[in-house]
Amino acid sequence: LLGGLTVLSVLRPRTAPGPSADLLAEEGAAKEGVQAAKGSTREKLQQALRKLSIVQAQLEAANGDQQDYPLPKYLEDASTSGKIMLAVTGASGVGKSSLVNSLRKVRDNDPDAAQTGIKETTMEPSMYSFRADQGILNQRFYRSFEEGMELRPKEQVVLHNVSEKVDGCQAEVISTKHEKVKVRLDGGSVLDVDLTQVAGKPLDVVAWDLP
């Protein structure tokens, strides 16, 4: 099944598709560093200029990547969705769609399954989501909770440092007050946890079945 298949994880690398927000922020910080160093020693100014030069070289490479490897049309909307995307590609008939279904733990004849067949059946790139309670990749990834990140009622969060039974589970935010968060687990249980026990917000994982 895996012969001839290439599984690629698309996690928005530093230089694709184009300069990242982090890289642009680094450039701004480096420019500020140069301005601050102008009133300091020559050595500090040279260090700041070298740092700016490195960042600008990375930006030039990122812009080059964007021109040489433009973002495919089908990924224009998905690339800004915040999802973790897996791409499965390979020769005709090697089992790409079957692998996508296997990863998602769905049968080939399920309504939302990727279409399979002896001949090539995937004619256009198709994105498939993982079911909430199935699939080997569900509830494995989350965006770490950072200072200043807001939690709103009905949002999903991932818990940690609560108990062995609860750690790693997703929960729905009911309310927040100061450093306390009231959440509801999938089974309906309600817990009061500290903000430090919120690991982050879960990230959706999707699989792209490519021709």
Side-chain angles (χ1 to χ4, degrees), residues 78-114:
S79 66
T80 58
S81 66
K83 291 180 171 63
I84 293 177
M85 295 183 285
L86 307 176
V88 182
T89 187
S92 173
V94 298
K96 301 184 297 293
S97 299
S98 295
L99 176 59
V100 169
N101 291 338
S102 179
L103 291 172
R104 298 172 62 231
K105 290 190 177 180
V106 300
R107 296 183 177 86
D108 289 346
N109 59 356
D110 284 354
D112 61 342

PDB file of all heavy atoms in Angstrom, residues 78-114:
ATOM      1  N   ALA A  78      -7.098  27.148   2.063  1.00  0.00           N
ATOM      2  CA  ALA A  78      -6.686  26.240   3.141  1.00  0.00           C
ATOM      3  C   ALA A  78      -5.395  26.670   3.811  1.00  0.00           C
ATOM      4  O   ALA A  78      -5.181  26.410   4.993  1.00  0.00           O
ATOM      5  CB  ALA A  78      -6.548  24.822   2.594  1.00  0.00           C
ATOM      6  N   SER A  79      -4.509  27.351   3.078  1.00  0.00           N
ATOM      7  CA  SER A  79      -3.196  27.687   3.626  1.00  0.00           C
ATOM      8  C   SER A  79      -3.274  28.680   4.778  1.00  0.00           C
ATOM      9  O   SER A  79      -2.350  28.786   5.578  1.00  0.00           O
ATOM     10  CB  SER A  79      -2.290  28.259   2.528  1.00  0.00           C
ATOM     11  OG  SER A  79      -2.795  29.503   2.064  1.00  0.00           O
ATOM     12  N   THR A  80      -4.376  29.405   4.885  1.00  0.00           N
ATOM     13  CA  THR A  80      -4.524  30.383   5.971  1.00  0.00           C
ATOM     14  C   THR A  80      -5.529  29.918   7.018  1.00  0.00           C
ATOM     15  O   THR A  80      -5.928  30.688   7.880  1.00  0.00           O
ATOM     16  CB  THR A  80      -4.978  31.747   5.405  1.00  0.00           C
ATOM     17  OG1 THR A  80      -6.215  31.576   4.693  1.00  0.00           O
ATOM     18  CG2 THR A  80      -3.929  32.312   4.454  1.00  0.00           C
ATOM     19  N   SER A  81      -5.934  28.648   6.945  1.00  0.00           N
ATOM     20  CA  SER A  81      -6.971  28.144   7.848  1.00  0.00           C
ATOM     21  C   SER A  81      -6.433  27.758   9.218  1.00  0.00           C
ATOM     22  O   SER A  81      -7.203  27.553  10.153  1.00  0.00           O
ATOM     23  CB  SER A  81      -7.654  26.930   7.219  1.00  0.00           C
ATOM     24  OG  SER A  81      -6.733  25.855   7.104  1.00  0.00           O
ATOM     25  N   GLY A  82      -5.098  27.619   9.344  1.00  0.00           N
ATOM     26  CA  GLY A  82      -4.525  27.181  10.612  1.00  0.00           C
ATOM     27  C   GLY A  82      -4.554  25.674  10.799  1.00  0.00           C
ATOM     28  O   GLY A  82      -4.174  25.165  11.850  1.00  0.00           O
ATOM     29  N   LYS A  83      -5.018  24.942   9.790  1.00  0.00           N
ATOM     30  CA  LYS A  83      -5.070  23.484   9.879  1.00  0.00           C
ATOM     31  C   LYS A  83      -3.697  22.870   9.602  1.00  0.00           C
ATOM     32  O   LYS A  83      -2.877  23.449   8.893  1.00  0.00           O
ATOM     33  CB  LYS A  83      -6.078  22.927   8.861  1.00  0.00           C
ATOM     34  CG  LYS A  83      -7.543  23.249   9.152  1.00  0.00           C
ATOM     35  CD  LYS A  83      -8.431  22.642   8.080  1.00  0.00           C
ATOM     36  CE  LYS A  83      -9.915  22.747   8.437  1.00  0.00           C
ATOM     37  NZ  LYS A  83     -10.368  24.132   8.537  1.00  0.00           N
ATOM     38  N   ILE A  84      -3.473  21.697  10.178  1.00  0.00           N
ATOM     39  CA  ILE A  84      -2.312  20.896   9.816  1.00  0.00           C
ATOM     40  C   ILE A  84      -2.722  20.032   8.642  1.00  0.00           C
ATOM     41  O   ILE A  84      -3.706  19.301   8.715  1.00  0.00           O
ATOM     42  CB  ILE A  84      -1.838  20.021  10.994  1.00  0.00           C
ATOM     43  CG1 ILE A  84      -1.297  20.909  12.113  1.00  0.00           C
ATOM     44  CG2 ILE A  84      -0.782  19.031  10.544  1.00  0.00           C
ATOM     45  CD1 ILE A  84      -0.862  20.157  13.342  1.00  0.00           C
ATOM     46  N   MET A  85      -1.984  20.118   7.549  1.00  0.00           N
ATOM     47  CA  MET A  85      -2.389  19.437   6.331  1.00  0.00           C
ATOM     48  C   MET A  85      -1.393  18.353   5.946  1.00  0.00           C
ATOM     49  O   MET A  85      -0.181  18.585   5.936  1.00  0.00           O
ATOM     50  CB  MET A  85      -2.539  20.442   5.195  1.00  0.00           C
ATOM     51  CG  MET A  85      -3.664  21.450   5.434  1.00  0.00           C
ATOM     52  SD  MET A  85      -3.907  22.585   4.056  1.00  0.00           S
ATOM     53  CE  MET A  85      -2.500  23.667   4.289  1.00  0.00           C
ATOM     54  N   LEU A  86      -1.913  17.188   5.638  1.00  0.00           N
ATOM     55  CA  LEU A  86      -1.117  16.071   5.144  1.00  0.00           C
ATOM     56  C   LEU A  86      -1.453  15.866   3.678  1.00  0.00           C
ATOM     57  O   LEU A  86      -2.626  15.806   3.321  1.00  0.00           O
ATOM     58  CB  LEU A  86      -1.434  14.786   5.921  1.00  0.00           C
ATOM     59  CG  LEU A  86      -1.339  14.861   7.448  1.00  0.00           C
ATOM     60  CD1 LEU A  86      -1.768  13.530   8.060  1.00  0.00           C
ATOM     61  CD2 LEU A  86       0.074  15.197   7.875  1.00  0.00           C
ATOM     62  N   ALA A  87      -0.442  15.768   2.844  1.00  0.00           N
ATOM     63  CA  ALA A  87      -0.665  15.535   1.420  1.00  0.00           C
ATOM     64  C   ALA A  87      -0.201  14.130   1.065  1.00  0.00           C
ATOM     65  O   ALA A  87       0.903  13.727   1.416  1.00  0.00           O
ATOM     66  CB  ALA A  87       0.091  16.565   0.580  1.00  0.00           C
ATOM     67  N   VAL A  88      -1.058  13.374   0.396  1.00  0.00           N
ATOM     68  CA  VAL A  88      -0.723  12.025  -0.044  1.00  0.00           C
ATOM     69  C   VAL A  88      -0.728  12.018  -1.564  1.00  0.00           C
ATOM     70  O   VAL A  88      -1.741  12.308  -2.194  1.00  0.00           O
ATOM     71  CB  VAL A  88      -1.742  10.992   0.496  1.00  0.00           C
ATOM     72  CG1 VAL A  88      -1.351   9.588   0.062  1.00  0.00           C
ATOM     73  CG2 VAL A  88      -1.816  11.070   2.017  1.00  0.00           C
ATOM     74  N   THR A  89       0.420  11.704  -2.155  1.00  0.00           N
ATOM     75  CA  THR A  89       0.520  11.718  -3.609  1.00  0.00           C
ATOM     76  C   THR A  89       1.312  10.501  -4.064  1.00  0.00           C
ATOM     77  O   THR A  89       1.987   9.841  -3.273  1.00  0.00           O
ATOM     78  CB  THR A  89       1.189  13.021  -4.099  1.00  0.00           C
ATOM     79  OG1 THR A  89       1.136  13.079  -5.528  1.00  0.00           O
ATOM     80  CG2 THR A  89       2.643  13.118  -3.639  1.00  0.00           C
ATOM     81  N   GLY A  90       1.213  10.184  -5.326  1.00  0.00           N
ATOM     82  CA  GLY A  90       1.911   9.017  -5.864  1.00  0.00           C
ATOM     83  C   GLY A  90       1.344   8.631  -7.208  1.00  0.00           C
ATOM     84  O   GLY A  90       0.448   9.290  -7.742  1.00  0.00           O
ATOM     85  N   ALA A  91       1.849   7.529  -7.758  1.00  0.00           N
ATOM     86  CA  ALA A  91       1.424   7.065  -9.078  1.00  0.00           C
ATOM     87  C   ALA A  91      -0.015   6.556  -9.039  1.00  0.00           C
ATOM     88  O   ALA A  91      -0.556   6.252  -7.968  1.00  0.00           O
ATOM     89  CB  ALA A  91       2.365   5.960  -9.567  1.00  0.00           C
ATOM     90  N   SER A  92      -0.619   6.448 -10.202  1.00  0.00           N
ATOM     91  CA  SER A  92      -2.003   5.992 -10.315  1.00  0.00           C
ATOM     92  C   SER A  92      -2.151   4.558  -9.819  1.00  0.00           C
ATOM     93  O   SER A  92      -1.354   3.676 -10.168  1.00  0.00           O
ATOM     94  CB  SER A  92      -2.448   6.080 -11.781  1.00  0.00           C
ATOM     95  OG  SER A  92      -3.717   5.498 -11.956  1.00  0.00           O
ATOM     96  N   GLY A  93      -3.164   4.334  -8.982  1.00  0.00           N
ATOM     97  CA  GLY A  93      -3.503   2.990  -8.555  1.00  0.00           C
ATOM     98  C   GLY A  93      -2.668   2.393  -7.440  1.00  0.00           C
ATOM     99  O   GLY A  93      -2.817   1.207  -7.136  1.00  0.00           O
ATOM    100  N   VAL A  94      -1.788   3.179  -6.807  1.00  0.00           N
ATOM    101  CA  VAL A  94      -0.945   2.600  -5.750  1.00  0.00           C
ATOM    102  C   VAL A  94      -1.638   2.565  -4.396  1.00  0.00           C
ATOM    103  O   VAL A  94      -1.125   1.970  -3.452  1.00  0.00           O
ATOM    104  CB  VAL A  94       0.408   3.356  -5.622  1.00  0.00           C
ATOM    105  CG1 VAL A  94       1.213   3.248  -6.886  1.00  0.00           C
ATOM    106  CG2 VAL A  94       0.178   4.822  -5.255  1.00  0.00           C
ATOM    107  N   GLY A  95      -2.793   3.224  -4.273  1.00  0.00           N
ATOM    108  CA  GLY A  95      -3.539   3.157  -3.019  1.00  0.00           C
ATOM    109  C   GLY A  95      -3.539   4.428  -2.206  1.00  0.00           C
ATOM    110  O   GLY A  95      -3.665   4.389  -0.984  1.00  0.00           O
ATOM    111  N   LYS A  96      -3.432   5.576  -2.871  1.00  0.00           N
ATOM    112  CA  LYS A  96      -3.417   6.848  -2.142  1.00  0.00           C
ATOM    113  C   LYS A  96      -4.718   7.058  -1.371  1.00  0.00           C
ATOM    114  O   LYS A  96      -4.714   7.390  -0.189  1.00  0.00           O
ATOM    115  CB  LYS A  96      -3.185   8.007  -3.116  1.00  0.00           C
ATOM    116  CG  LYS A  96      -1.895   7.930  -3.915  1.00  0.00           C
ATOM    117  CD  LYS A  96      -1.699   9.161  -4.792  1.00  0.00           C
ATOM    118  CE  LYS A  96      -2.765   9.324  -5.854  1.00  0.00           C
ATOM    119  NZ  LYS A  96      -2.694   8.249  -6.890  1.00  0.00           N
ATOM    120  N   SER A  97      -5.846   6.877  -2.063  1.00  0.00           N
ATOM    121  CA  SER A  97      -7.148   7.102  -1.431  1.00  0.00           C
ATOM    122  C   SER A  97      -7.402   6.096  -0.314  1.00  0.00           C
ATOM    123  O   SER A  97      -7.981   6.428   0.723  1.00  0.00           O
ATOM    124  CB  SER A  97      -8.262   7.018  -2.479  1.00  0.00           C
ATOM    125  OG  SER A  97      -8.090   8.011  -3.473  1.00  0.00           O
ATOM    126  N   SER A  98      -6.955   4.864  -0.520  1.00  0.00           N
ATOM    127  CA  SER A  98      -7.110   3.845   0.523  1.00  0.00           C
ATOM    128  C   SER A  98      -6.313   4.217   1.764  1.00  0.00           C
ATOM    129  O   SER A  98      -6.764   4.002   2.898  1.00  0.00           O
ATOM    130  CB  SER A  98      -6.659   2.478   0.004  1.00  0.00           C
ATOM    131  OG  SER A  98      -7.499   2.032  -1.040  1.00  0.00           O
ATOM    132  N   LEU A  99      -5.131   4.793   1.564  1.00  0.00           N
ATOM    133  CA  LEU A  99      -4.327   5.227   2.705  1.00  0.00           C
ATOM    134  C   LEU A  99      -5.014   6.362   3.450  1.00  0.00           C
ATOM    135  O   LEU A  99      -5.053   6.380   4.684  1.00  0.00           O
ATOM    136  CB  LEU A  99      -2.938   5.671   2.236  1.00  0.00           C
ATOM    137  CG  LEU A  99      -2.018   6.246   3.319  1.00  0.00           C
ATOM    138  CD1 LEU A  99      -1.779   5.224   4.432  1.00  0.00           C
ATOM    139  CD2 LEU A  99      -0.690   6.700   2.728  1.00  0.00           C
ATOM    140  N   VAL A 100      -5.590   7.318   2.702  1.00  0.00           N
ATOM    141  CA  VAL A 100      -6.312   8.426   3.332  1.00  0.00           C
ATOM    142  C   VAL A 100      -7.461   7.879   4.183  1.00  0.00           C
ATOM    143  O   VAL A 100      -7.662   8.296   5.331  1.00  0.00           O
ATOM    144  CB  VAL A 100      -6.846   9.408   2.268  1.00  0.00           C
ATOM    145  CG1 VAL A 100      -7.825  10.402   2.894  1.00  0.00           C
ATOM    146  CG2 VAL A 100      -5.700  10.159   1.608  1.00  0.00           C
ATOM    147  N   ASN A 101      -8.209   6.919   3.642  1.00  0.00           N
ATOM    148  CA  ASN A 101      -9.317   6.331   4.393  1.00  0.00           C
ATOM    149  C   ASN A 101      -8.813   5.582   5.623  1.00  0.00           C
ATOM    150  O   ASN A 101      -9.434   5.625   6.692  1.00  0.00           O
ATOM    151  CB  ASN A 101     -10.117   5.384   3.494  1.00  0.00           C
ATOM    152  CG  ASN A 101     -10.886   6.130   2.420  1.00  0.00           C
ATOM    153  OD1 ASN A 101     -11.165   7.317   2.558  1.00  0.00           O
ATOM    154  ND2 ASN A 101     -11.211   5.450   1.341  1.00  0.00           N
ATOM    155  N   SER A 102      -7.676   4.896   5.472  1.00  0.00           N
ATOM    156  CA  SER A 102      -7.114   4.148   6.599  1.00  0.00           C
ATOM    157  C   SER A 102      -6.679   5.091   7.712  1.00  0.00           C
ATOM    158  O   SER A 102      -6.930   4.836   8.900  1.00  0.00           O
ATOM    159  CB  SER A 102      -5.924   3.311   6.116  1.00  0.00           C
ATOM    160  OG  SER A 102      -5.340   2.603   7.180  1.00  0.00           O
ATOM    161  N   LEU A 103      -6.037   6.206   7.352  1.00  0.00           N
ATOM    162  CA  LEU A 103      -5.617   7.182   8.351  1.00  0.00           C
ATOM    163  C   LEU A 103      -6.813   7.766   9.087  1.00  0.00           C
ATOM    164  O   LEU A 103      -6.747   8.060  10.280  1.00  0.00           O
ATOM    165  CB  LEU A 103      -4.815   8.308   7.690  1.00  0.00           C
ATOM    166  CG  LEU A 103      -3.437   7.956   7.142  1.00  0.00           C
ATOM    167  CD1 LEU A 103      -2.864   9.120   6.355  1.00  0.00           C
ATOM    168  CD2 LEU A 103      -2.487   7.556   8.263  1.00  0.00           C
ATOM    169  N   ARG A 104      -7.918   7.938   8.367  1.00  0.00           N
ATOM    170  CA  ARG A 104      -9.124   8.526   8.949  1.00  0.00           C
ATOM    171  C   ARG A 104     -10.017   7.479   9.615  1.00  0.00           C
ATOM    172  O   ARG A 104     -11.029   7.806  10.199  1.00  0.00           O
ATOM    173  CB  ARG A 104      -9.917   9.256   7.859  1.00  0.00           C
ATOM    174  CG  ARG A 104      -9.157  10.417   7.230  1.00  0.00           C
ATOM    175  CD  ARG A 104      -9.885  10.988   6.023  1.00  0.00           C
ATOM    176  NE  ARG A 104     -11.193  11.522   6.395  1.00  0.00           N
ATOM    177  CZ  ARG A 104     -12.323  11.193   5.769  1.00  0.00           C
ATOM    178  NH1 ARG A 104     -12.329  10.304   4.785  1.00  0.00           N
ATOM    179  NH2 ARG A 104     -13.455  11.731   6.154  1.00  0.00           N
ATOM    180  N   LYS A 105      -9.628   6.211   9.489  1.00  0.00           N
ATOM    181  CA  LYS A 105     -10.398   5.100  10.061  1.00  0.00           C
ATOM    182  C   LYS A 105     -11.832   5.080   9.545  1.00  0.00           C
ATOM    183  O   LYS A 105     -12.794   4.968  10.305  1.00  0.00           O
ATOM    184  CB  LYS A 105     -10.366   5.141  11.594  1.00  0.00           C
ATOM    185  CG  LYS A 105      -9.000   4.794  12.183  1.00  0.00           C
ATOM    186  CD  LYS A 105      -9.066   4.608  13.685  1.00  0.00           C
ATOM    187  CE  LYS A 105      -7.689   4.196  14.231  1.00  0.00           C
ATOM    188  NZ  LYS A 105      -7.702   4.012  15.683  1.00  0.00           N
ATOM    189  N   VAL A 106     -11.965   5.222   8.228  1.00  0.00           N
ATOM    190  CA  VAL A 106     -13.266   5.099   7.584  1.00  0.00           C
ATOM    191  C   VAL A 106     -13.180   3.980   6.553  1.00  0.00           C
ATOM    192  O   VAL A 106     -12.106   3.678   6.025  1.00  0.00           O
ATOM    193  CB  VAL A 106     -13.721   6.409   6.903  1.00  0.00           C
ATOM    194  CG1 VAL A 106     -13.842   7.533   7.907  1.00  0.00           C
ATOM    195  CG2 VAL A 106     -12.764   6.809   5.790  1.00  0.00           C
ATOM    196  N   ARG A 107     -14.298   3.339   6.273  1.00  0.00           N
ATOM    197  CA  ARG A 107     -14.355   2.293   5.258  1.00  0.00           C
ATOM    198  C   ARG A 107     -14.471   2.930   3.880  1.00  0.00           C
ATOM    199  O   ARG A 107     -15.005   4.027   3.728  1.00  0.00           O
ATOM    200  CB  ARG A 107     -15.543   1.363   5.513  1.00  0.00           C
ATOM    201  CG  ARG A 107     -15.448   0.586   6.817  1.00  0.00           C
ATOM    202  CD  ARG A 107     -16.633  -0.370   6.947  1.00  0.00           C
ATOM    203  NE  ARG A 107     -16.550  -1.179   8.157  1.00  0.00           N
ATOM    204  CZ  ARG A 107     -17.004  -0.797   9.343  1.00  0.00           C
ATOM    205  NH1 ARG A 107     -17.581   0.400   9.462  1.00  0.00           N
ATOM    206  NH2 ARG A 107     -16.897  -1.586  10.395  1.00  0.00           N
ATOM    207  N   ASP A 108     -13.993   2.197   2.876  1.00  0.00           N
ATOM    208  CA  ASP A 108     -14.017   2.727   1.511  1.00  0.00           C
ATOM    209  C   ASP A 108     -15.429   3.027   1.022  1.00  0.00           C
ATOM    210  O   ASP A 108     -15.616   3.862   0.135  1.00  0.00           O
ATOM    211  CB  ASP A 108     -13.339   1.740   0.550  1.00  0.00           C
ATOM    212  CG  ASP A 108     -11.825   1.681   0.754  1.00  0.00           C
ATOM    213  OD1 ASP A 108     -11.289   2.575   1.437  1.00  0.00           O
ATOM    214  OD2 ASP A 108     -11.197   0.741   0.223  1.00  0.00           O
ATOM    215  N   ASN A 109     -16.430   2.342   1.595  1.00  0.00           N
ATOM    216  CA  ASN A 109     -17.813   2.565   1.150  1.00  0.00           C
ATOM    217  C   ASN A 109     -18.579   3.535   2.042  1.00  0.00           C
ATOM    218  O   ASN A 109     -19.772   3.724   1.873  1.00  0.00           O
ATOM    219  CB  ASN A 109     -18.568   1.232   1.053  1.00  0.00           C
ATOM    220  CG  ASN A 109     -18.601   0.483   2.388  1.00  0.00           C
ATOM    221  OD1 ASN A 109     -17.998   0.923   3.361  1.00  0.00           O
ATOM    222  ND2 ASN A 109     -19.300  -0.646   2.419  1.00  0.00           N
ATOM    223  N   ASP A 110     -17.901   4.171   3.014  1.00  0.00           N
ATOM    224  CA  ASP A 110     -18.562   5.185   3.833  1.00  0.00           C
ATOM    225  C   ASP A 110     -18.863   6.420   2.982  1.00  0.00           C
ATOM    226  O   ASP A 110     -18.112   6.735   2.044  1.00  0.00           O
ATOM    227  CB  ASP A 110     -17.674   5.580   5.019  1.00  0.00           C
ATOM    228  CG  ASP A 110     -17.684   4.523   6.117  1.00  0.00           C
ATOM    229  OD1 ASP A 110     -18.459   3.565   6.001  1.00  0.00           O
ATOM    230  OD2 ASP A 110     -16.907   4.665   7.086  1.00  0.00           O
ATOM    231  N   PRO A 111     -19.949   7.148   3.297  1.00  0.00           N
ATOM    232  CA  PRO A 111     -20.338   8.314   2.481  1.00  0.00           C
ATOM    233  C   PRO A 111     -19.245   9.375   2.355  1.00  0.00           C
ATOM    234  O   PRO A 111     -19.126  10.024   1.314  1.00  0.00           O
ATOM    235  CB  PRO A 111     -21.563   8.865   3.218  1.00  0.00           C
ATOM    236  CG  PRO A 111     -22.106   7.709   3.993  1.00  0.00           C
ATOM    237  CD  PRO A 111     -20.917   6.890   4.381  1.00  0.00           C
ATOM    238  N   ASP A 112     -18.457   9.572   3.409  1.00  0.00           N
ATOM    239  CA  ASP A 112     -17.442  10.631   3.374  1.00  0.00           C
ATOM    240  C   ASP A 112     -16.046  10.095   3.081  1.00  0.00           C
ATOM    241  O   ASP A 112     -15.047  10.778   3.305  1.00  0.00           O
ATOM    242  CB  ASP A 112     -17.441  11.415   4.690  1.00  0.00           C
ATOM    243  CG  ASP A 112     -17.122  10.531   5.888  1.00  0.00           C
ATOM    244  OD1 ASP A 112     -17.242   9.297   5.766  1.00  0.00           O
ATOM    245  OD2 ASP A 112     -16.758  11.083   6.951  1.00  0.00           O
ATOM    246  N   ALA A 113     -15.959   8.865   2.580  1.00  0.00           N
ATOM    247  CA  ALA A 113     -14.660   8.263   2.279  1.00  0.00           C
ATOM    248  C   ALA A 113     -14.113   8.793   0.960  1.00  0.00           C
ATOM    249  O   ALA A 113     -14.864   9.223   0.078  1.00  0.00           O
ATOM    250  CB  ALA A 113     -14.786   6.746   2.228  1.00  0.00           C
ATOM    251  N   ALA A 114     -12.783   8.747   0.830  1.00  0.00           N
ATOM    252  CA  ALA A 114     -12.158   9.068  -0.451  1.00  0.00           C
ATOM    253  C   ALA A 114     -12.493   7.943  -1.433  1.00  0.00           C
ATOM    254  O   ALA A 114     -12.457   6.766  -1.079  1.00  0.00           O
ATOM    255  CB  ALA A 114     -10.649   9.191  -0.287  1.00  0.00           C
TER     256      ALA A 114
END
